[in-house]
């Protein structure tokens, strides 16, 4: 356990922090995208992912109770399977988080473009501006205060809850169908894999565990179940609002994609009017800026930590002590994301295609984390939940399709780099010892 951690998080604060870690930009785009793929059957995928979230969240809760550490999944993986697996989880999470900022920034840009009826390329310009603002701010150590992040989390909650409540009288319940069959099982599975991006964050409780007040077990479990209830109700409610008001379209033209990417704005436009859509677009932009800023801050520090532990190129092992910023890692994450937005524009890569990249990495991270849970958790129920979570995450991979090569490639590159660096250091040490012996 981290002895230096201050135990200051109460159960109610834990619910807010945990729910805020899961509620993000994914819910702004994925209800429309998944409805465009599977229609009303996408609701099955949302319900299924909420059920999987219960297993995942409880698994990490039990791990956090028995092994409280700010290191999170990387610590669990290292403790359960050793040095190399811990390194792999760090690499997978770093690349998933860096790539994810492409999606987050584009989400903000697409909401503004849709709400104000701007040409598509404006979404990419706005996305690049969001990334530049967040990168420059992090580079010079301009931190977003906890209060600002809390306001952003509150905005996310309010826009989701308001959209659900406003849409209820307009939902066409008679057109909803939850019957799954051979004809729609693939589209439901593909939707579920996209939805995974919205639920990425259940591991956050692991890093916060040492800071919970006593009794730690009760407070962590209360926070976990509170967050599950809030996130589950909001996500299923939003999916129902989009599907029930038919604020999406089945198809693939640029106009149809724009509608699906900004489905919440379309829901509000239908039930409130044009001004409501504008407000939704601006709030969505604010949410995405806050998310991008927070993720660049967190992911850049992970990159620095990996380099400092000799698990990533030493070029990243630089820390600006004056501003308390790993400035090279911040630049790498920012430039990577900007390049990703530019490439997406040039190659006309859709958001639903982009989401599969961090999803494939995120699921691999969860496979490692839940497998660690199977080995480490002593509590019988916790061990069973970890086993079920691991099996379901593994079962999800066939629906990712060719994207499965992404985590495999990361694993190969990570292990190759670590092996090469260890061999290089071994040869250097051997050479130094040889020169010393010769000199003697």
């Amino acid at each position: 356990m981290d002895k230096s951690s201050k135990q200051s998080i109460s159960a109610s604060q834990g619910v807010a922090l945990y729910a805020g870690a899961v509620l993000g930009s994914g819910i702004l785009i994925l209800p429309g995208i998944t409805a465009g793929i599977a229609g009303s059957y996408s609701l099955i995928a949302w319900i299924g992912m909420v059920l999987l979230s219960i297993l995942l969240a409880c698994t990490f809760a039990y791990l956090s109770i028995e092994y409280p550490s700010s290191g999170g999944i990387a610590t669990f993986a290292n403790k359960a399977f050793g040095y190399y697996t811990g390194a792999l989880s760090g690499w997978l999470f770093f690349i998933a988080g860096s790539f994810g900022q492409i999606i987050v920034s584009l989400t903000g840009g697409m909401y503004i473009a849709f709400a104000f009826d701007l040409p598509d390329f404006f979404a990419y310009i706005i996305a690049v501006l969001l990334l530049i603002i967040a990168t420059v701010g992090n580079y010079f150590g301009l931190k977003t205060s906890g209060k600002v992040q809390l306001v952003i989390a509150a905005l996310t909650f309010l826009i989701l809850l308001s959209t659900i409540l406003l849409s209820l009288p307009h939902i066409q319940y008679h057109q909803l169908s939850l019957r799954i069959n051979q004809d729609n099982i693939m589209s439901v599975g593909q939707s579920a894999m996209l939805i995974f991006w919205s639920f990425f964050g259940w591991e956050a409780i692991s890093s916060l565990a040492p800071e919970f007040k006593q009794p730690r077990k009760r407070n962590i479990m209360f926070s976990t179940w509170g967050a599950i209830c809030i996130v589950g109700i909001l996500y299923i409610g939003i999916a129902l609002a989009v599907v029930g008001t038919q604020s999406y379209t089945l198809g693939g033209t640029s106009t149809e994609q724009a509608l699906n990417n900004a489905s919440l704005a379309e829901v509000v436009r239908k039930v409130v009017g044009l001004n409501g859509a504008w407000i939704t677009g601006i709030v969505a932009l604010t949410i995405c800026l806050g998310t991008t800023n927070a993720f660049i801050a967190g992911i850049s520090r992970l990159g620095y930590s990996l380099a400092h532990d000799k698990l990533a190129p030493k070029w990243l092992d630089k820390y600006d002590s004056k501003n308390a910023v790993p400035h090279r890692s911040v630049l790498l994450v920012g430039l990577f994301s900007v390049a990703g937005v530019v490439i997406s524009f040039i190659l006309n890569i859709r958001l639903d295609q982009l989401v599969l990249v961090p999803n494939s990495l995120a699921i691999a991270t969860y496979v490692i984390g839940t497998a660690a849970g199977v080995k480490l958790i002593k509590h019988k129920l916790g061990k069973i939940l970890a086993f079920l979570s691991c099996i379901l995450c593994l079962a999800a991979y066939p629906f990712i399709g060719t994207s499965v090569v992404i985590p495999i490639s990361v694993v190969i590159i990570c292990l190759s780099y670590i092996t090469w660096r260890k061999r290089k250091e071994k040869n250097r040490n051997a050479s130094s010892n040889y020169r010393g012996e010769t000199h003697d």
Side-chain angles (χ1 to χ4, degrees), residues 95-360:
I95 297 175
S98 300
F99 199 97
Q101 299 326 294
I102 302 171
I103 299 164
V104 174
S105 60
L106 277 173
T107 299
M110 288 181 175
Y111 259 78
I112 289 295
F114 181 83
F116 292 93
D117 199 23
L118 300 172
D120 290 347
F121 69 87
F122 271 92
Y124 294 88
I125 295 173
I126 294 168
V128 169
L129 289 175
L130 281 178
L131 289 168
I132 290 173
I133 291 169
T135 302
V136 171
N138 274 283
Y139 186 87
F140 290 104
L142 302 176
K143 297 179 181 177
T144 303
S145 70
K147 290 182 178 179
V148 173
Q149 289 298 119
L150 186 60
V151 169
I152 291 172
L155 279 173
T156 308
F157 177 82
L158 287 174
I159 189 175
L160 297 180
L161 184 60
S162 300
T163 303
I164 293 169
L165 295 177
L166 289 170
S167 68
L168 289 177
H170 301 268
I171 293 175
Q172 300 175 32
Y173 296 96
H174 64 281
Q175 293 189 359
L176 301 179
S177 176
L178 295 179
R179 293 181 181 178
I180 192 166
N181 53 51
Q182 290 182 342
D183 295 330
N184 58 41
I185 189 170
M186 281 304 297
S187 61
V188 170
Q190 291 168 359
S191 298
M193 289 305 91
L194 292 172
I195 291 168
F196 208 102
W197 173 247
S198 288
F199 287 92
F200 197 43
W202 291 121
E203 77 293 337
I205 199 78
S206 306
S207 299
L208 297 173
E211 300 177 46
F212 271 84
K213 291 180 179 179
Q214 297 294 345
R216 180 180 287 110
K217 179 178 180 179
R218 187 192 69 184
N219 288 334
I220 287 178
M221 292 308 297
F222 181 90
S223 299
T224 299
W225 279 104
I228 287 171
C229 292
I230 291 172
V231 171
I233 291 170
L234 289 178
Y235 278 10
I236 292 177
I238 287 297
L240 179 63
V242 171
V243 172
T245 61
Q246 295 187 331
S247 298
Y248 69 95
T249 183
L250 294 166
T253 67
S254 59
T255 302
E256 290 165 339
Q257 290 170 19
L259 171 63
N260 291 342
N261 291 337
S263 54
L264 262 66
E266 178 62 13
V267 172
V268 176
R269 175 182 288 177
K270 283 186 173 183
V271 301
V272 176
L274 187 60
N275 290 337
W278 291 350
I279 294 171
T280 302
I282 294 170
V283 172
L285 182 70
T286 305
I287 291 170
C288 292
L289 177 58
T291 303
T292 301
N293 181 75
F295 260 86
I296 288 180
I299 292 298
S300 63
R301 280 156 179 78
L302 173 59
Y304 164 74
S305 177
L306 289 171
H308 192 68
D309 293 338
K310 299 181 179 181
L311 300 174
K314 63 180 181 179
W315 181 83
L316 292 174
D317 189 14
K318 294 293 181 181
Y319 194 84
D320 181 358
S321 56
K322 180 180 178 181
N323 295 317
V325 172
H327 55 283
R328 287 186 177 179
S329 191
V330 167
L331 277 179
L332 176 65
V333 175
L335 290 173
F336 178 88
S337 301
V338 169
V341 171
V342 173
I343 292 171
S344 299
F345 174 73
I346 294 173
L347 300 181
N348 193 28
I349 303 174
R350 304 192 312 271
L351 272 180
D352 60 303
Q353 295 171 319
L354 290 173
V355 168
L356 288 174
V357 176
N359 271 7
S360 64

Side-chain angles (χ1 to χ4, degrees), residues 407-426:
I408 293 174
S409 300
V410 171
V411 167
I412 293 172
I413 294 170
C414 172
L415 294 179
S416 299
Y417 173 78
I418 294 173
T419 303
W420 170 80
R421 184 158 182 169
K422 280 196 167 188
R423 186 179 294 119
K424 184 178 179 181
E425 290 183 356
K426 184 178 179 180

Side-chain angles (χ1 to χ4, degrees), residues 55 59 367 369-375 377 380-394:
L55 299 177
T59 296
V367 168
T370 54
V374 174
K375 185 172 182 179
I377 295 174
K380 187 175 181 180
L381 176 60
K383 190 177 285 288
I384 292 172
L385 294 175
F387 176 77
L388 292 174
S389 299
C390 188
I391 293 298
L392 289 174
C393 287
L394 286 170

